[in-house]
Amino acid sequence: MSINVHEAIKAIRDMAPIIDPEEDYLTIVAAEESIATKEAKRKKEIDEAHTKLKALSKILEAARISSTRPASVPSAEVHAATLNDLDTNRLSLAKSISDVENLLTSKKTELAALKEEARRLEDYDPAAEHEKELDGTALRLEILKGLGFEPISDKNGNVTKIIVHAESGDVHIMDFPTKSHVDFTQKLWTLASS
């Protein structure tokens, strides 16, 4: 379809009184001002929203940091394991303390017994006790035998003869005198040393 130019010119002329360029200009200016105002208002709202978003982001980051465990604080699993280890260690220490206390009680009892034994031994005179146990006559006879003299007694316990074992190995028998013991003693020592 083709448009006739004459008809178009006629239509434009008929519309010329309706078209007012000044009014259209004012309408356009008002529209641009309205758009600029709304755009400024929208930009201000966007800037405010952006500022609020930054503030909320900082709060969120601070909350995230405060809600996470610092590296120096162990995790819940490590903390539970540490508590278990500490409980085990506490029980072990309690048992060790109990064992040491029992040992201490035992040692105190042993010490008291040793002190009693020491007191008893301090009061004890071994020489006197030994003297009670020994027969002095038997001890003298053993000493005499060690020197090489062996007395022989009769039925009543009186010495009647002495056997002398000389250093040379000879054996001499002498009657025990009833009178002078000095000469007899010298003769015994002479025989024993021969």
Side-chain angles (χ1 to χ4, degrees):
M1 105 165 166
S2 71
I3 297 180
N4 188 348
V5 176
H6 291 293
E7 287 179 11
I9 293 175
K10 184 181 173 209
I12 292 175
R13 283 189 186 152
D14 288 340
M15 289 179 68
I18 301 173
I19 298 177
D20 183 11
E22 191 174 319
E23 186 181 319
D24 288 344
Y25 174 75
L26 291 176
T27 303
I28 291 173
V29 167
E32 284 180 352
E33 285 178 3
S34 174
I35 290 171
T37 304
K38 286 182 181 178
E39 190 174 323
K41 185 179 176 184
R42 191 176 319 120
K43 184 171 174 31
K44 183 180 176 186
E45 287 175 357
I46 288 173
D47 287 345
E48 287 175 1
H50 189 64
T51 304
K52 286 181 182 177
L53 179 63
K54 280 185 177 181
L56 289 174
S57 293
K58 287 180 182 178
I59 292 171
L60 175 64
E61 187 61 28
R64 182 179 295 131
I65 289 171
S66 69
S67 69
T68 57
R69 288 182 192 267
S72 61
V73 176
S75 67
E77 294 81 17
V78 172
H79 182 68
T82 302
L83 285 178
N84 286 339
D85 290 344
L86 289 175
D87 280 345
T88 303
N89 192 19
R90 180 180 56 84
L91 292 174
S92 175
L93 286 174
K95 184 181 181 311
S96 296
I97 289 170
S98 175
D99 291 346
V100 168
E101 286 175 347
N102 289 340
L103 181 63
L104 178 64
T105 303
S106 169
K107 292 299 180 185
K108 281 182 178 179
T109 305
E110 185 179 342
L111 178 63
L114 288 173
K115 282 183 178 179
E116 178 61 29
E117 178 72 14
R119 187 196 57 73
R120 191 181 61 74
L121 288 174
E122 285 174 1
D123 294 343
Y124 176 71
D125 184 8
E129 194 68 30
H130 189 64
E131 189 176 297
K132 289 179 191 174
E133 293 175 4
L134 289 179
D135 180 11
T137 307
L139 185 58
R140 284 189 290 277
L141 287 174
E142 282 298 316
I143 292 172
L144 287 174
K145 280 184 183 179
L147 292 172
F149 305 107
E150 190 174 340
I152 299 174
S153 303
D154 61 8
K155 293 178 185 176
N156 298 328
N158 296 323
V159 177
T160 57
K161 295 185 181 194
I162 293 184
I163 300 173
V164 179
H165 298 278
E167 289 180 0
S168 63
D170 295 338
V171 177
H172 306 280
I173 299 174
M174 294 189 60
D175 290 327
F176 193 75
T178 54
K179 297 182 185 172
S180 172
H181 292 287
V182 176
D183 294 333
F184 178 73
T185 304
Q186 282 188 346
K187 190 172 184 183
L188 282 177
W189 280 112
T190 304
L191 289 174
S193 61
S194 64

Short mmCIF file of all heavy atoms in Angstrom, two decimals, residues 127-159:
data_model
loop_
_atom_site.label_atom_id
_atom_site.label_comp_id
_atom_site.label_asym_id
_atom_site.label_seq_id
_atom_site.Cartn_x
_atom_site.Cartn_y
_atom_site.Cartn_z
N ALA A 127 76.47 -60.18 125.76
CA ALA A 127 77.49 -60.88 126.56
C ALA A 127 76.84 -61.55 127.76
O ALA A 127 77.12 -62.71 128.08
CB ALA A 127 78.57 -59.90 127.00
N ALA A 128 75.94 -60.81 128.42
CA ALA A 128 75.27 -61.38 129.59
C ALA A 128 74.38 -62.54 129.17
O ALA A 128 74.32 -63.58 129.85
CB ALA A 128 74.45 -60.32 130.30
N GLU A 129 73.70 -62.38 128.06
CA GLU A 129 72.82 -63.46 127.57
C GLU A 129 73.64 -64.68 127.18
O GLU A 129 73.27 -65.81 127.47
CB GLU A 129 72.03 -62.93 126.35
CG GLU A 129 70.88 -63.78 125.94
CD GLU A 129 69.75 -63.78 126.95
OE1 GLU A 129 69.56 -62.76 127.66
OE2 GLU A 129 69.06 -64.79 127.03
N HIS A 130 74.78 -64.43 126.53
CA HIS A 130 75.64 -65.53 126.13
C HIS A 130 76.24 -66.21 127.36
O HIS A 130 76.38 -67.44 127.39
CB HIS A 130 76.75 -64.99 125.21
CG HIS A 130 77.57 -66.05 124.56
ND1 HIS A 130 77.05 -66.94 123.66
CD2 HIS A 130 78.88 -66.37 124.70
CE1 HIS A 130 77.99 -67.76 123.26
NE2 HIS A 130 79.14 -67.44 123.87
N GLU A 131 76.57 -65.41 128.34
CA GLU A 131 77.14 -65.98 129.57
C GLU A 131 76.14 -66.89 130.26
O GLU A 131 76.50 -67.93 130.80
CB GLU A 131 77.54 -64.83 130.51
CG GLU A 131 78.32 -65.29 131.72
CD GLU A 131 78.76 -64.10 132.54
OE1 GLU A 131 79.55 -63.28 132.02
OE2 GLU A 131 78.30 -63.98 133.68
N LYS A 132 74.85 -66.51 130.18
CA LYS A 132 73.82 -67.35 130.77
C LYS A 132 73.73 -68.68 130.05
O LYS A 132 73.48 -69.71 130.65
CB LYS A 132 72.45 -66.66 130.71
CG LYS A 132 72.30 -65.49 131.64
CD LYS A 132 70.91 -64.89 131.45
CE LYS A 132 70.76 -63.57 132.15
NZ LYS A 132 69.48 -62.94 131.86
N GLU A 133 73.88 -68.61 128.73
CA GLU A 133 73.71 -69.81 127.93
C GLU A 133 74.92 -70.75 128.02
O GLU A 133 74.79 -71.95 127.82
CB GLU A 133 73.49 -69.42 126.47
CG GLU A 133 72.17 -68.71 126.22
CD GLU A 133 72.04 -68.23 124.78
OE1 GLU A 133 72.93 -68.53 123.96
OE2 GLU A 133 71.04 -67.57 124.50
N LEU A 134 76.10 -70.19 128.27
CA LEU A 134 77.30 -71.02 128.28
C LEU A 134 77.62 -71.53 129.69
O LEU A 134 77.40 -70.85 130.68
CB LEU A 134 78.50 -70.20 127.79
CG LEU A 134 78.52 -69.85 126.32
CD1 LEU A 134 79.76 -69.04 126.03
CD2 LEU A 134 78.53 -71.11 125.46
N ASP A 135 78.18 -72.69 129.69
CA ASP A 135 78.71 -73.24 130.94
C ASP A 135 80.17 -72.82 130.97
O ASP A 135 80.94 -73.14 130.06
CB ASP A 135 78.57 -74.77 130.94
CG ASP A 135 79.09 -75.37 132.22
OD1 ASP A 135 79.35 -74.61 133.17
OD2 ASP A 135 79.22 -76.60 132.24
N GLY A 136 80.59 -72.07 131.97
CA GLY A 136 81.97 -71.57 132.06
C GLY A 136 82.98 -72.70 132.07
O GLY A 136 84.07 -72.57 131.50
N THR A 137 82.66 -73.82 132.66
CA THR A 137 83.59 -74.95 132.73
C THR A 137 83.82 -75.50 131.33
O THR A 137 84.97 -75.78 130.95
CB THR A 137 83.01 -76.04 133.64
OG1 THR A 137 82.68 -75.46 134.89
CG2 THR A 137 83.98 -77.16 133.84
N ALA A 138 82.77 -75.65 130.57
CA ALA A 138 82.91 -76.19 129.22
C ALA A 138 83.75 -75.27 128.36
O ALA A 138 84.58 -75.73 127.57
CB ALA A 138 81.53 -76.39 128.60
N LEU A 139 83.57 -73.97 128.54
CA LEU A 139 84.35 -73.02 127.77
C LEU A 139 85.84 -73.11 128.14
O LEU A 139 86.70 -73.11 127.26
CB LEU A 139 83.82 -71.60 128.03
CG LEU A 139 84.45 -70.48 127.21
CD1 LEU A 139 84.27 -70.74 125.72
CD2 LEU A 139 83.86 -69.14 127.59
N ARG A 140 86.14 -73.23 129.42
CA ARG A 140 87.54 -73.36 129.84
C ARG A 140 88.15 -74.65 129.30
O ARG A 140 89.31 -74.68 128.90
CB ARG A 140 87.63 -73.30 131.37
CG ARG A 140 87.48 -71.89 131.91
CD ARG A 140 87.80 -71.82 133.40
NE ARG A 140 86.83 -72.46 134.26
CZ ARG A 140 85.71 -71.90 134.67
NH1 ARG A 140 85.40 -70.68 134.30
NH2 ARG A 140 84.87 -72.55 135.44
N LEU A 141 87.37 -75.73 129.31
CA LEU A 141 87.87 -77.00 128.77
C LEU A 141 88.20 -76.86 127.29
O LEU A 141 89.21 -77.40 126.82
CB LEU A 141 86.86 -78.12 128.99
CG LEU A 141 86.72 -78.62 130.43
CD1 LEU A 141 85.58 -79.63 130.52
CD2 LEU A 141 88.03 -79.26 130.88
N GLU A 142 87.36 -76.16 126.53
CA GLU A 142 87.61 -75.97 125.09
C GLU A 142 88.88 -75.16 124.89
O GLU A 142 89.67 -75.44 123.98
CB GLU A 142 86.42 -75.26 124.41
CG GLU A 142 85.25 -76.16 124.12
CD GLU A 142 85.61 -77.29 123.16
OE1 GLU A 142 86.31 -77.04 122.15
OE2 GLU A 142 85.20 -78.43 123.43
N ILE A 143 89.08 -74.14 125.72
CA ILE A 143 90.30 -73.32 125.61
C ILE A 143 91.52 -74.18 125.91
O ILE A 143 92.53 -74.13 125.20
CB ILE A 143 90.23 -72.11 126.55
CG1 ILE A 143 89.14 -71.14 126.04
CG2 ILE A 143 91.56 -71.40 126.63
CD1 ILE A 143 88.84 -69.99 126.98
N LEU A 144 91.42 -74.99 126.95
CA LEU A 144 92.56 -75.87 127.31
C LEU A 144 92.85 -76.85 126.19
O LEU A 144 94.01 -77.11 125.85
CB LEU A 144 92.28 -76.60 128.61
CG LEU A 144 92.35 -75.76 129.90
CD1 LEU A 144 91.91 -76.58 131.11
CD2 LEU A 144 93.77 -75.25 130.11
N LYS A 145 91.81 -77.43 125.57
CA LYS A 145 92.01 -78.38 124.47
C LYS A 145 92.68 -77.67 123.30
O LYS A 145 93.52 -78.24 122.62
CB LYS A 145 90.68 -78.98 124.02
CG LYS A 145 90.19 -80.09 124.91
CD LYS A 145 88.92 -80.68 124.33
CE LYS A 145 88.36 -81.76 125.24
NZ LYS A 145 87.12 -82.34 124.72
N GLY A 146 92.27 -76.42 123.06
CA GLY A 146 92.88 -75.65 121.98
C GLY A 146 94.35 -75.41 122.24
O GLY A 146 95.14 -75.30 121.29
N LEU A 147 94.75 -75.31 123.49
CA LEU A 147 96.16 -75.10 123.83
C LEU A 147 96.95 -76.42 123.85
O LEU A 147 98.17 -76.41 123.98
CB LEU A 147 96.27 -74.42 125.20
CG LEU A 147 95.77 -72.98 125.25
CD1 LEU A 147 95.76 -72.49 126.70
CD2 LEU A 147 96.65 -72.09 124.40
N GLY A 148 96.23 -77.55 123.74
CA GLY A 148 96.90 -78.85 123.71
C GLY A 148 96.77 -79.62 125.00
O GLY A 148 97.42 -80.65 125.17
N PHE A 149 95.99 -79.19 125.96
CA PHE A 149 95.81 -79.87 127.24
C PHE A 149 94.39 -80.43 127.30
O PHE A 149 93.43 -79.70 127.10
CB PHE A 149 96.01 -78.91 128.41
CG PHE A 149 97.33 -78.19 128.38
CD1 PHE A 149 97.43 -76.85 128.05
CD2 PHE A 149 98.49 -78.88 128.67
CE1 PHE A 149 98.64 -76.21 128.02
CE2 PHE A 149 99.73 -78.22 128.67
CZ PHE A 149 99.80 -76.89 128.32
N GLU A 150 94.27 -81.75 127.63
CA GLU A 150 92.97 -82.37 127.72
C GLU A 150 92.83 -83.02 129.10
O GLU A 150 93.44 -84.06 129.37
CB GLU A 150 92.82 -83.42 126.62
CG GLU A 150 91.43 -83.96 126.50
CD GLU A 150 91.29 -84.89 125.30
OE1 GLU A 150 92.13 -84.83 124.37
OE2 GLU A 150 90.35 -85.68 125.31
N PRO A 151 92.06 -82.41 130.00
CA PRO A 151 91.91 -82.98 131.34
C PRO A 151 91.00 -84.21 131.30
O PRO A 151 90.05 -84.26 130.54
CB PRO A 151 91.29 -81.86 132.15
CG PRO A 151 90.78 -80.86 131.17
CD PRO A 151 91.41 -81.10 129.87
N ILE A 152 91.31 -85.18 132.16
CA ILE A 152 90.49 -86.39 132.29
C ILE A 152 89.97 -86.41 133.71
O ILE A 152 90.73 -86.29 134.68
CB ILE A 152 91.32 -87.66 131.99
CG1 ILE A 152 91.83 -87.57 130.55
CG2 ILE A 152 90.48 -88.90 132.21
CD1 ILE A 152 92.77 -88.68 130.17
N SER A 153 88.64 -86.56 133.83
CA SER A 153 88.00 -86.50 135.16
C SER A 153 87.56 -87.89 135.60
O SER A 153 87.32 -88.77 134.78
CB SER A 153 86.78 -85.60 135.10
OG SER A 153 87.14 -84.32 134.65
N ASP A 154 87.43 -88.03 136.94
CA ASP A 154 86.90 -89.30 137.47
C ASP A 154 85.38 -89.22 137.51
O ASP A 154 84.78 -88.28 136.99
CB ASP A 154 87.51 -89.58 138.86
CG ASP A 154 87.18 -88.50 139.88
OD1 ASP A 154 86.36 -87.61 139.54
OD2 ASP A 154 87.72 -88.53 140.97
N LYS A 155 84.76 -90.17 138.17
CA LYS A 155 83.32 -90.26 138.23
C LYS A 155 82.71 -89.06 138.95
O LYS A 155 81.57 -88.67 138.67
CB LYS A 155 82.88 -91.53 138.94
CG LYS A 155 83.22 -92.76 138.18
CD LYS A 155 82.81 -93.99 138.95
CE LYS A 155 83.26 -95.25 138.26
NZ LYS A 155 82.97 -96.45 139.01
N ASN A 156 83.43 -88.44 139.85
CA ASN A 156 82.92 -87.32 140.64
C ASN A 156 83.16 -85.97 139.96
O ASN A 156 82.80 -84.94 140.49
CB ASN A 156 83.56 -87.30 142.02
CG ASN A 156 83.22 -88.55 142.82
OD1 ASN A 156 82.14 -89.11 142.65
ND2 ASN A 156 84.14 -89.01 143.66
N GLY A 157 83.85 -85.96 138.83
CA GLY A 157 84.13 -84.71 138.12
C GLY A 157 85.43 -84.09 138.52
O GLY A 157 85.74 -82.97 138.12
N ASN A 158 86.29 -84.78 139.32
CA ASN A 158 87.59 -84.26 139.72
C ASN A 158 88.62 -84.65 138.67
O ASN A 158 88.65 -85.78 138.20
CB ASN A 158 88.01 -84.81 141.08
CG ASN A 158 87.07 -84.37 142.17
OD1 ASN A 158 86.58 -83.24 142.15
ND2 ASN A 158 86.80 -85.24 143.13
N VAL A 159 89.50 -83.68 138.30
CA VAL A 159 90.54 -83.94 137.29
C VAL A 159 91.60 -84.82 137.94
O VAL A 159 92.16 -84.49 138.97
CB VAL A 159 91.16 -82.63 136.79
CG1 VAL A 159 92.28 -82.90 135.80
CG2 VAL A 159 90.10 -81.74 136.16
#
